[in-house]
Amino acid sequence: MLGSIYIGMSGLTAYAKGLQTISNNVANLNTPGFKATTPRFADLFYGQQFAPGQPGSTSTQSFGSGVEYGYASIDFGQGDIRQSDGQLDLAIQGTGFLALLDGDKVQFGRTGQFILSNDGYIVDQVTGLRLTALDSAGQPEAISVTGKTISPPAATTYVRFSDNLSSGATEFSIPDVVVYDGNGTEHALSISFKPDNAIFPGRWAVTITDENGKVIQTSPLQFLGGIPEPGMDTIDVTMSPAGAEPFTFTLDFSSGVTGFSAGSVSTLKVSGSDGSLAGTLSSLFIDADGVLNIGYSNGESLPLSPIALAHFNDPQQLTQQGNGLFDASHASAPQYATSRGPGVGALISGAVEASNVDLSTEFGRLILIQRGFQASSQVISTANEMIMQLFQMRGTQG
């Protein structure tokens, strides 16, 4: 009967730990990236040798000695993906883990809300761990924007045009065509077109004038059958602005420009150009391919490395830590990939993964844990009553 009391006590201990597991799940109902755990129990047995038959024969009979709390199985099911306000908030649709650096040690998580730290690294604002990208060897390294916060100025190399320059027009001009020199200084040019077809039908004289009204150059533009003639469909313009190196850019009429008759109305316009002034870091964002990009105030952007994701053959080998992190010290080495790579899902920016705790499931387990605890308690009470009866019988005999 004393053994029965110990067996009942093992039940109380095991179910108390199970209750702790369920309580932790319920408490983390709204914790981003939290993965629910399921309590697992194991039976306890011990063996006793005895010889019931002939001399030298042995047999083993097993006696139950109760129950123990075995382990907590982690449920890696997908939690809801919820939109957030942070451009650097990340979640994973599907399997895989974010690789985060804690010094030289790699920790893993399913979601995170990241910010740019003062030392130039992308860090989780809760844990301070550094977000990683894949290096040339396919291993995770901390992402840093140090030395990349300024976008240098770039001189214009082309100005592209589109639409129609009517052959029936007597003149046409496009004002405020913006180009940039090597220092990033903006220059607003005026480009005018006048027919010059006295000798060559379909020819135009193109005059480029700077913001001070000074003519930079005049060059011919030739149309043939309403289409710019190859070899005469571009104009190279060289500017020598004060305080900057001379630079050359091309006026490109070769694609999307026509010279058909439309009366006096022309619709010719600038369709694109390059060059920019100096820019400062204005935003950080992750594109659809899982690549971190820097956005600058001058409209330019710089793609960095793709975010590192990790795949484990057996995620149950991971140890659950606080703040939605998992430790892989006792797990087999992970395989690293980028978004939508082998074994990993798609990286989603501007979102976080919610907890995967299901309240109805937890309450169902709670009832089972409660019933098990009550039954173990009843076993102890019954064994105690039987021992008391033995004591009473002894007292009566005495």
Side-chain angles (χ1 to χ4, degrees), residues 176-187:
D176 299 325
V177 177
V178 175
V179 296
Y180 298 92
D181 61 30
N183 293 337
T185 302
E186 180 181 302
H187 302 275

Side-chain angles (χ1 to χ4, degrees), residues 28 37 72 82 130 150 155 158 174 244 249 269 303 309-310 352 362:
N28 285 281
T37 53
R82 299 177 180 175
R130 295 174 177 177
I150 300 296
Y158 72 87
I174 304 176
F249 59 92
K269 63 183 180 181
L309 298 179
V352 294
E362 298 304 321

Side-chain angles (χ1 to χ4, degrees), residues 35 160 186 196 203 249 256 261 376:
K35 297 303 179 185
R160 190 172 293 122
E186 180 181 302
D196 187 18
R203 177 165 293 188
F249 59 92
S261 177
S376 297

Side-chain angles (χ1 to χ4, degrees), residues 60-318:
T60 301
Q61 180 175 347
S62 297
F63 294 90
S65 57
V67 64
E68 68 174 349
Y69 183 89
Y71 64 98
S73 174
I74 305 175
D75 177 12
F76 284 101
Q78 177 79 57
D80 292 338
I81 302 297
R82 299 177 180 175
Q83 295 300 311
S84 63
D85 297 330
Q87 283 186 317
L88 292 181
D89 292 352
L90 295 176
I92 302 172
Q93 182 70 55
T95 59
F97 298 84
L98 294 167
L100 308 174
L101 275 181
D102 182 8
D104 295 330
K105 184 178 181 180
V106 183
Q107 300 275 22
F108 301 91
R110 284 283 303 175
T111 191
Q113 296 173 299
F114 298 94
I115 58 174
L116 178 62
S117 66
N118 294 331
D119 56 2
Y121 290 97
I122 308 299
V123 301
D124 184 90
Q125 59 181 325
V126 176
T127 63
L129 301 188
R130 295 174 177 177
L131 183 65
T132 64
L134 293 183
D135 61 14
S136 58
Q139 295 300 308
E141 64 176 357
I143 300 174
S144 175
V145 299
T146 301
K148 304 180 181 70
T149 57
I150 300 296
S151 174
T156 298
T157 61
Y158 72 87
V159 178
R160 190 172 293 122
F161 296 85
S162 64
D163 288 356
N164 189 59
L165 178 60
S166 176
S167 59
T170 56
E171 63 177 343
F172 181 71
S173 64
I174 304 176
D176 299 325
V177 177
V178 175
V179 296
Y180 298 92
D181 61 30
N183 293 337
T185 302
E186 180 181 302
H187 302 275
L189 308 182
S190 176
I191 302 177
S192 61
F193 303 82
K194 287 188 177 181
D196 187 18
N197 52 19
I199 301 177
F200 300 100
R203 177 165 293 188
W204 294 77
V206 182
T207 302
I208 300 96
T209 307
D210 66 15
E211 59 264 42
N212 299 317
K214 178 182 176 181
V215 175
I216 299 173
Q217 71 182 62
T218 300
S219 300
L221 172 65
Q222 182 69 49
F223 285 87
L224 183 63
I227 303 298
E229 182 179 349
M232 294 191 69
D233 52 2
T234 60
I235 299 173
D236 291 334
V237 181
T238 299
M239 290 186 65
S240 300
E245 293 292 327
F247 69 104
T248 299
F249 59 92
T250 300
L251 303 181
D252 186 358
F253 303 90
S254 62
S255 178
V257 174
T258 58
F260 299 114
S261 177
S264 60
V265 178
S266 294
T267 58
L268 188 69
K269 63 183 180 181
V270 175
S271 61
S273 64
D274 65 349
S276 63
L277 45 74
T280 57
L281 188 151
S282 61
S283 65
L284 291 166
F285 62 95
I286 289 99
D287 62 21
D289 296 323
V291 177
L292 177 67
N293 288 259
I294 301 177
Y296 297 100
S297 58
N298 59 1
E300 299 294 317
S301 64
L302 175 66
L304 301 180
S305 302
I307 305 299
L309 298 179
H311 166 70
F312 290 90
N313 292 327
D314 183 12
Q316 289 297 331
Q317 293 179 341
L318 297 174

